[in-house]
Amino acid sequence: MMLRRERRSITETAFEVGFSSSSAFSVAFQEYVGRTPSAYAKSFIGGPVSSRH
């Protein structure tokens, strides 16, 4: 999973996997995984990279 292997922002990951918004990705991710993307990433790599916007 990209959030586990690479230090990318949640927004970058959302767009790379085909979502048009990071909020839609976050909702879908939480429903599927049971955790927010940020919480998931923190458990593996010390946290996501902050968005570059």
Side-chain angles (χ1 to χ4, degrees):
M1 177 165 254
M2 294 172 86
L3 291 174
R4 229 163 103 178
R5 292 186 304 233
E6 302 175 25
R7 295 208 32 100
R8 297 178 189 253
S9 73
I10 302 304
T11 300
E12 288 174 313
T13 301
F15 291 129
E16 286 185 27
V17 298
F19 282 84
S20 59
S21 74
S22 59
S23 60
F25 171 73
S26 292
V27 169
F29 188 95
Q30 187 164 5
E31 287 177 4
Y32 185 77
V33 177
R35 304 169 80 173
T36 65
S38 296
Y40 183 84
K42 284 179 187 175
S43 70
F44 289 100
I45 59 174
V49 175
S50 58
S51 186
R52 295 178 200 133
H53 295 145

